[in-house]
Amino acid sequence: MYYFIVNPNSGGGRGIVAWNNTKKYLHGRNIEYEVFFTTREGEAREKAREVTEDYQGPLYLVTIGGDGTINEVIDGSVLGPNVAFGYIPAGSGNDLGKGLNFPQSMKKSIKRALTDGKIDKLDYGVISCGDTGCIRRFMVSAGIGFDAAVCHSILMARSKRNRKGLHFKSLSYLFTGIKEFLLARPAKGYIILDDSRRVEFNHILFISAHICPFEGGGFKFAPSADPKDGNLSVCVVSTANKMKLVWTLLRARGKSLRQRSGVRFFECRELKIHTDKPLAVHTDGESCRTQTDLTLRCVPGQLKLVR
């Protein structure tokens, strides 16, 4: 059974365009389906849980939207041997699509999701936030600090603009990133890798843990991330002089972030993070508010997705 969860407003209306093209493809091949359109934050999560809890037999759950929509679907679903996922990217950033080498063409993405693709078993991540009880899955990345603060600002600005009928343009992403970079105040803290190695930092700008290489609309902060290797790829940016890293961070858009003074990479199955003050936290660009303590782990090969 094909079931679609569609965010029609993703990508400034790209979601509904993608759905209309998908519907033509389905009708042209007499493929039966059901569809649900989201109208608010959290609705994709709720619907995914409802569908995967109640459905008997094989289910193919296809998301049309951005990284936030597919995050909600994966986070809300009851995973099982009969549930497989599809994804037609239709957001502003589409970091998951980039990380999984999905075609940029909408028509090719639709064809791959519905007829040409093969089911692959991929990793996903789980983040637990301190004592708040917040536990979320992620497929792209989760992070704390500057990168998450950018996500928070974008989400708030997007909400305001959507109420006015405006689209959050790519240039606004750049301005938001610059503003948050200037406002960012590094924190002290440490990470613990697989409960065996502790590394301390005095000037944490951000820490991100990745299943896929990209985040933030195309910044390759984890060049070695592989969604099938069973590991988190961890990027820690910690420096007393953040201005020295401006060019390094900007170059990561479309290219790989380089290891240099202030930038370090790690691999692990489980990561614990502690900071001496609350910092913004995100999962796949969605807000987890501010936290001081996080635990992140990789769940290997348990997510069936057509790619």
Side-chain angles (χ1 to χ4, degrees):
M1 176 64 187
Y2 285 85
Y3 195 99
F4 292 83
I5 294 180
V6 180
N7 180 352
N9 297 315
S10 63
R14 195 164 184 262
I16 193 62
V17 173
W19 167 247
N20 287 335
N21 280 285
T22 301
K23 183 169 63 173
K24 290 179 183 178
Y25 193 92
L26 294 165
H27 289 177
R29 288 155 182 80
N30 295 316
I31 299 174
E32 293 185 4
Y33 66 88
E34 291 184 33
V35 61
F36 176 80
F37 296 95
T38 66
T39 59
R40 57 174 173 80
E41 181 182 349
E43 205 168 12
R45 180 181 293 104
E46 295 165 6
K47 195 64 181 179
R49 175 165 292 278
E50 176 187 322
V51 171
T52 54
E53 273 184 333
D54 296 340
Y55 197 81
Q56 301 295 320
L59 172 65
Y60 185 32
L61 182 55
V62 184
T63 302
I64 299 179
D67 293 325
T69 308
I70 184 68
N71 173 270
E72 286 195 16
V73 170
I74 297 301
D75 187 49
S77 293
V78 178
L79 303 182
N82 293 326
V83 179
F85 297 90
Y87 180 45
I88 299 171
S92 300
N94 298 323
D95 289 309
L96 179 60
K98 292 183 181 76
L100 297 179
N101 295 315
F102 279 21
Q104 294 186 359
S105 163
M106 184 180 293
K107 290 184 178 180
K108 288 181 179 179
S109 288
I110 293 169
K111 189 177 180 183
R112 172 179 287 194
L114 299 180
T115 54
D116 285 354
K118 296 180 179 180
I119 293 178
D120 210 349
K121 292 183 178 180
L122 304 180
D123 306 338
Y124 67 89
V126 177
I127 181 172
S128 303
C129 302
D131 298 326
T132 64
C134 176
I135 300 175
R136 294 275 294 272
R137 294 174 182 152
F138 61 94
M139 278 209 65
V140 179
S141 68
I144 184 170
F146 159 67
D147 63 334
V150 174
C151 295
H152 286 207
S153 290
I154 287 172
L155 289 170
M156 288 189 291
R158 182 184 293 156
S159 177
K160 292 178 182 178
R161 287 170 180 255
N162 284 345
R163 287 197 294 268
K164 296 178 181 179
L166 301 173
H167 175 40
F168 201 88
K169 302 291 186 180
S170 58
L171 191 60
S172 298
Y173 280 91
L174 178 60
F175 288 147
T176 301
I178 292 172
K179 182 194 75 172
E180 292 299 333
F181 185 81
L182 294 174
L183 291 174
R185 296 294 178 265
K188 292 182 179 181
Y190 58 82
I191 62 173
I192 299 176
L193 306 161
D194 293 326
D195 281 330
S196 61
R197 181 185 177 192
R198 173 170 165 150
V199 187
E200 298 192 5
F201 301 93
N202 290 321
H203 307 282
I204 297 169
L205 185 62
F206 71 88
I207 302 172
S208 57
H210 294 251
I211 299 295
C212 291
F214 296 94
E215 73 169 33
F219 286 88
K220 200 171 187 179
F221 287 153
S224 65
D226 180 347
K228 297 181 69 175
D229 68 357
N231 286 319
L232 297 172
S233 185
V234 181
C235 172
V236 181
V237 176
S238 177
T239 177
N241 188 346
K242 64 182 182 180
M243 299 309 295
K244 287 185 177 180
L245 284 178
V246 170
W247 179 239
T248 300
L249 295 175
L250 287 175
R251 278 181 58 85
R253 184 172 177 82
K255 298 182 180 180
S256 296
L257 182 64
R258 297 178 179 179
Q259 182 154 313
R260 52 161 293 173
S261 178
V263 180
R264 295 184 65 181
F265 299 107
F266 304 88
E267 298 284 331
C268 62
R269 289 286 292 271
E270 183 179 89
L271 174 71
K272 293 180 180 177
I273 302 172
H274 171 77
T275 57
D276 67 347
K277 61 182 179 182
L279 298 177
V281 174
H282 83 92
T283 57
D284 291 346
E286 299 300 299
S287 173
C288 288
R289 302 183 181 178
T290 60
Q291 311 286 341
T292 58
D293 291 275
L294 304 173
T295 299
L296 306 99
R297 60 186 176 91
C298 178
V299 180
Q302 296 298 307
L303 190 71
K304 298 200 301 185
L305 186 133
V306 173
R307 60 185 295 218

